Structure formats: C-alpha cells, structure tokens
Amino acid sequence: FFFLTAKLQRMASSTDEKSAPDACSVTVRQPAVFVNHGAGPLPYLYHIGNKGSHAKFQFPDESQVKIIESCQLLGSLIQEYKPKALCVISAHWEAAQPTVLYSETPSRPLLFDYYGFPEESYKIQYSAPYDNALADQIVKLFKNAGHKQVVLEKQRGYDHGVFIPLSIAWPKADVPLVQIALRSVTADKTETARRNLELGAMLSKLRDEGVMIIGSGLSYHNMGGFMQPSSAKTSQVFDAWLVETVSKKPLNQSVLEMAQWHQAPNALQCHPREEHLLPLHVCLGSNMKLEQMQQLFAAYDKDAKSINIGDAKPIKVQVTKLIQGYAAASGFVFS
C-alpha cells in the first residue's frame, strides 16, 4: 500500500500580515479569489443604475446586489493587498493546451461575448495595462511543469468574465492584467477537474510574487434553473457541500473531493456543464505545490482507501454567500 501522510504540506501558508499603504517594497502572499460574475453584463448595468428588464432575464434586485457586493469585495482586496498584477481565469475561455492571452499592444480589447442586451452593454471600457513580462513568466511556469506546447493567443480580447467584475471591483483599471485559459471541459469530469486543479498549482508561485489570482465563474450555473423557484432547494444542498468541502476540510481532502465534484449531491443539476465551477478549482489548486498535488492524485489512484489525509487544519478561506436568480451561490477568498 502507498500511504500518503500529512507530510504533503500546503505550499501556501496563510498570513495575517497586510501590506501597509506605503509599504510597496514588502511583498505579501496574494490571495486567490473566486468571484461570481453574474449573468452577462447585468451586474454592471445594475451597478450604473440601469435596473430595467430586458429580453433575456429579469433577475431579482437582491441577486444583483449580492453579485455587486461580491465584486466590490474583490475591489477591497485589491486595495488592501496592492497586487503588482492580476491573473484572471474566466469561465468563458477554455483551451485544450495551456494558453496565455498575449498582447503586442499596451492593452487588450474587450470581447463582448453576450447578445441582446442594452446598447450601453457594448460601450464598456476596461483598458488595464497588459503585463507581457508576467505572461512570459506564466509560459515559463507551464513549460517547467512539463508542457512543451504553450499557446500564445494574440487575437482574443478580454471576455465578460474578466471585464464585468473588474469594472465594478476596480474601475481605475490601473493594475496590470493577464488572462489565461481554463483547461477544456472533457467527457471525463475527474480528469477535467484535476487538470484545472493542477493549473492552479502551476500558478501558485505567482501569489508569492505579488500576483493576485482571480477565478471568475459561478458556483451555480444551470441556465434553465436560474429563474425557477425550485432551484433554491437544489442549489442550497450543493452549495452547502461546496462550502464544507472547500473551507472546512484539510487541503488534501478538499482537493481530492473537488476532483470528484460531480459525485456531490445535486452537482450535475447545478452544473450540467462545469466550466463556471472550474475557476474555483484553479483557485483552490493554487494553495498547493504541483509536485505534491500529483503525488496526491497518484496515491489516490493506486489505493484510495489507504490514503491518510492527516489532521492538518483547513486553509484560511473567506466565504461570501450570494443568490443568483433563485439559486444559492458562494464566493471564496483563499488567503
């Protein structure tokens, strides 16, 4: 039997130290933040005062307010931690190979990847400076992890999973920004989850170097269920499992259970397709070294019953409760 002991320690140790307003020379470990970005441009429209209904959805005011508050929490974290750059992983961009948005201009255009919304939805601007040095560093991290083929995407713009929450959270748009793609959803849900957990582990080092990782998705995403009152109970069951798994269990156990997320109660009813949940996998994965994670998966595959999770305390996680339509949802901050 192959026993996995508690010696598989977390790379990320939480800290109570915060950077002082003028202490720019001191680098504190940046958080990884999973933010619920809402439906298309609706949170932004509500934020700027357009609360009217339109052809697609008419979400309750409470839902929009909670999403906006979640984005504003992200803004307060940017203010507090003063990251030198943001690395964003959005539910709206997937790729089979590790892929980095790359810019040959000072900033990237926006990709308005939604349809049928008011005119002002297509006039949003978010011209954060692009950090090619960080992009190069991420490419190097991917290659050092064994990925010889890393794609540099030079045509795509920032999708709404990037610019909608950031337009609310940090409208000054003065923090350099890089976007990378999720690893693509495949028929093998466990393998898809593992690849995105490992993606987070590959990025973990960046958090010690002044880069905040932002996973932008939705912890509930069933297009047919958003506006159905029956989705409240269904989503509450899955959301309770998600909060328990991510914030109240040892990291090794959290990673293993999130790799099997589809076996959770009501999981597939809340995520018929998991692309909006996977940014959370990336954020969670950024709390562990890649080598440790790969050892954990290898041990589980060899003999799941023999794994000793250990008695390590859960990592420090702040949970934010939301509602999306009628569905329960949660945001997470890993510090």
Side-chain angles (χ1 to χ4, degrees):
F1 294 102
F2 184 88
F3 286 86
L4 183 74
T5 71
K7 291 182 180 179
L8 286 173
Q9 297 296 323
R10 301 176 177 81
M11 177 181 181
S13 60
S14 60
T15 176
D16 292 329
E17 296 180 5
K18 311 300 182 188
S19 56
D22 298 322
C24 298
S25 61
V26 178
T27 300
V28 296
R29 182 164 172 82
Q30 293 289 323
V33 185
F34 175 74
V35 61
N36 289 265
H37 63 235
L42 287 183
Y44 178 80
L45 293 176
Y46 195 100
H47 182 59
I48 64 173
N50 183 344
K51 302 180 182 181
S53 62
H54 50 82
K56 284 187 175 272
F57 301 103
Q58 188 174 357
F59 275 47
D61 285 359
E62 181 187 4
S63 176
Q64 302 299 349
V65 168
K66 291 294 185 181
I67 292 291
I68 290 168
E69 288 176 350
S70 176
C71 295
Q72 290 172 333
L73 172 61
L74 172 60
S76 70
L77 291 168
I78 294 173
Q79 176 67 40
E80 179 181 1
Y81 283 88
K82 295 178 170 50
K84 71 177 186 181
L86 307 174
C87 177
V88 184
I89 303 92
S90 165
H92 294 278
W93 187 27
E94 305 171 31
Q97 299 295 330
T99 303
V100 181
L101 193 64
Y102 206 82
S103 185
E104 296 175 336
T105 57
S107 63
R108 298 301 305 155
L110 303 187
L111 174 62
F112 295 105
D113 52 341
Y114 43 69
Y115 308 94
F117 289 92
E119 184 179 355
E120 57 264 42
S121 305
Y122 305 93
K123 295 181 179 179
I124 300 170
Q125 296 183 13
Y126 200 81
S127 55
Y130 200 83
D131 192 337
N132 275 340
L134 175 58
D136 290 337
Q137 184 180 0
I138 293 171
V139 170
K140 185 176 180 180
L141 288 174
F142 288 159
K143 290 186 175 180
N144 288 345
H147 295 281
K148 296 181 179 180
Q149 299 295 325
V150 179
V151 179
L152 300 181
E153 171 56 59
K154 299 181 180 180
Q155 302 300 317
R156 182 184 173 89
Y158 296 129
D159 60 67
H160 75 271
V162 179
F163 68 80
I164 290 298
L166 284 177
S167 292
I168 299 170
W170 201 252
K172 291 187 289 186
D174 58 355
V175 180
L177 179 61
V178 168
Q179 183 180 5
I180 63 174
L182 281 174
R183 298 300 302 275
S184 296
V185 173
T186 69
D188 187 333
K189 292 189 178 299
T190 299
E191 183 62 24
T192 298
R194 286 186 176 188
R195 287 180 179 177
N196 283 284
L197 286 160
E198 289 177 351
L199 176 61
M202 285 184 264
L203 299 173
S204 178
K205 182 179 179 181
L206 298 178
R207 292 175 57 189
D208 291 317
E209 299 177 359
V211 179
M212 182 180 292
I213 295 175
I214 300 172
S216 176
L218 288 166
S219 67
Y220 175 92
H221 191 260
N222 182 334
M223 296 297 290
F226 279 128
M227 301 309 299
Q228 299 298 322
S230 60
S231 68
K233 185 175 181 180
T234 300
S235 62
Q236 287 165 7
V237 173
F238 177 72
D239 190 65
W241 174 88
L242 192 65
V243 170
E244 173 77 16
T245 299
V246 170
S247 68
K248 298 182 180 180
K249 295 184 178 181
L251 180 59
N252 291 336
Q253 187 174 357
S254 295
V255 167
L256 288 173
E257 292 192 16
M258 284 297 285
Q260 304 287 336
W261 71 271
H262 55 285
Q263 297 179 6
N266 297 346
L268 298 180
Q269 294 160 276
C270 295
H271 290 279
R273 192 177 189 275
E274 62 265 38
E275 78 286 344
H276 275 75
L277 184 64
L278 291 174
L280 175 56
H281 287 75
V282 179
C283 291
L284 175 63
S286 74
N287 294 283
M288 183 180 282
K289 290 181 179 179
L290 179 62
E291 182 181 2
Q292 293 169 342
M293 186 177 290
Q294 291 172 335
Q295 289 175 350
L296 180 64
F297 290 150
Y300 182 87
D301 291 342
K302 187 172 184 178
D303 189 349
K305 294 181 179 180
S306 72
I307 290 182
N308 180 2
I309 293 298
D311 58 358
K313 293 180 180 179
I315 54 177
K316 186 176 179 181
V317 185
Q318 178 181 348
V319 180
T320 305
K321 304 300 292 183
L322 305 98
I323 185 168
Q324 181 69 355
Y326 287 98
S330 293
F332 300 90
V333 180
F334 302 89
S335 58

